[in-house]
Amino acid sequence: KINNISCKSDSSTCILIILEDVTHRRREEDLMMRSQEVARIGGWEVDFVRNTIYWSKITKEIHEVPQDYVPDLEKGISFYKEGHSRETISKLVQECREKGKSWDTELQIVTAKGKEVWVRAIGEPELLDGKCVRIVGTFQDINRRKKTELEFKKLSDRLSIATKTAGIGIWEFDIS
């Protein structure tokens, strides 16, 4: 960091130069961006004062929309799969806005290209004088993990039905 003040003795004009080494900060920001890309985590914001919505680059990639896409709240909610997912996110946004209640949920969206994708959506209210003026959050593509989890549950349920029907028991003995 370099500070330099130069003033002419015969006038009141001064020049102030401040230089700061931001290499470390830029490295941290770069690593943060790379980790978000690898984890497929995007950010978003709903600003009720300005009536605007912001989606980060990764959030737009998950939705399979162009980078110049400008969402609004209705369009954003319409990406959620009709039925349980859309009803749930609508209720969560309403509760956040009216009661300041945050959320962390796993739901399905249908991308702009028609692909069904499991996502984790987190929303946090920003309150001013007890009123929600903004909701900020993260949006993560969890499709691979969620599909593996659902397949495992399906297989476990099948095994449970088979063992009950056949009258077979399963037990485990820990010698130690």
Side-chain angles (χ1 to χ4, degrees):
K1 187 174 185 178
I2 300 172
N3 292 329
N4 185 13
I5 300 176
S6 171
C7 293
K8 293 182 179 180
S9 59
D10 59 340
S11 81
S12 61
T13 305
C14 288
I15 298 172
L16 174 64
I17 300 172
I18 300 174
L19 301 173
E20 182 179 355
D21 184 1
V22 294
T23 306
H24 180 72
R25 186 173 357 154
R26 296 286 287 161
R27 185 177 297 127
E28 286 291 322
E29 289 171 2
D30 185 50
L31 288 172
M32 177 70 78
M33 287 300 298
R34 288 175 192 257
S35 64
Q36 289 173 342
E37 287 175 10
V38 169
R40 302 267 300 149
I41 300 173
W44 58 270
E45 163 187 288
V46 178
D47 187 327
F48 296 114
V49 175
R50 293 185 184 97
N51 199 26
T52 59
I53 292 187
Y54 169 80
W55 283 1
S56 71
K57 175 182 176 273
I58 296 171
T59 299
K60 290 178 181 180
E61 287 174 6
I62 294 169
H63 283 84
E64 295 184 317
V65 296
Q67 287 302 312
D68 62 352
Y69 179 79
V70 180
D72 61 41
L73 189 55
E74 191 176 317
K75 284 183 199 172
I77 289 175
S78 73
F79 276 97
Y80 284 86
K81 187 175 178 181
E82 207 168 331
H84 171 74
S85 290
R86 193 174 300 169
E87 291 166 11
T88 300
I89 198 65
S90 295
K91 179 182 173 192
L92 292 171
V93 169
Q94 182 179 355
E95 287 178 350
C96 186
R97 190 169 187 185
E98 293 174 0
K99 300 175 185 174
K101 190 175 173 184
S102 60
W103 77 81
D104 183 344
T105 189
E106 296 178 356
L107 300 168
Q108 279 186 298
I109 64 166
V110 179
T111 70
K113 295 181 179 177
K115 189 168 87 178
E116 290 184 9
V117 177
W118 280 96
V119 296
R120 179 179 182 197
I122 298 173
E124 294 285 335
E126 183 178 303
L127 305 175
L128 183 63
D129 297 326
K131 182 180 176 188
C132 182
V133 293
R134 196 168 84 131
I135 305 173
V136 295
T138 58
F139 197 77
Q140 183 177 18
D141 178 347
I142 60 167
N143 200 51
R144 191 178 326 165
R145 177 189 63 81
K146 190 68 175 183
K147 283 186 173 180
T148 302
E149 179 184 306
L150 292 171
E151 187 61 30
F152 178 75
K153 182 178 177 353
K154 183 177 165 184
L155 292 172
S156 294
D157 291 347
R158 284 172 135 180
L159 178 61
S160 177
I161 290 169
T163 55
K164 285 178 186 173
T165 303
I168 298 172
I170 298 174
W171 58 276
E172 184 177 316
F173 179 67
D174 184 354
I175 294 174
S176 64

